[in-house]
Amino acid sequence: MKKIFQFFKECAGELRKVTWPTRSDVLSSTKVVFISTIIVALILGLLDWLFTEGLRLVF
């Protein structure tokens, strides 16, 4: 039982050391992820379309 309390005490101590991101950091990172996701989705959609059309020409 003592080890469990020791574990949670150490966890709380480590969480006090964490440097949490600011709101603007989070929003900036979110925008990067959102835009990157859209770009990758467009590229994959284009490749899918190209391969589909290529296979239609062959078969």
Side-chain angles (χ1 to χ4, degrees):
M1 195 70 169
K2 182 179 177 181
K3 287 186 178 186
I4 294 173
F5 288 119
Q6 179 73 22
F7 171 77
F8 284 113
K9 184 178 176 182
E10 289 176 8
C11 285
E14 290 297 320
L15 283 174
R16 281 193 281 280
K17 297 177 188 177
V18 172
T19 303
W20 298 100
T22 63
R23 180 176 172 86
S24 71
D25 289 341
V26 172
L27 290 175
S28 177
S29 297
T30 302
K31 288 176 189 174
V32 168
V33 169
F34 186 72
I35 291 170
S36 300
T37 302
I38 290 172
I39 290 170
V40 170
L42 290 173
I43 291 170
L44 290 175
L46 177 64
L47 287 173
D48 180 48
W49 180 78
L50 287 173
F51 287 132
T52 302
E53 292 301 316
L55 286 174
R56 281 188 186 160
L57 291 174
V58 173
F59 297 108

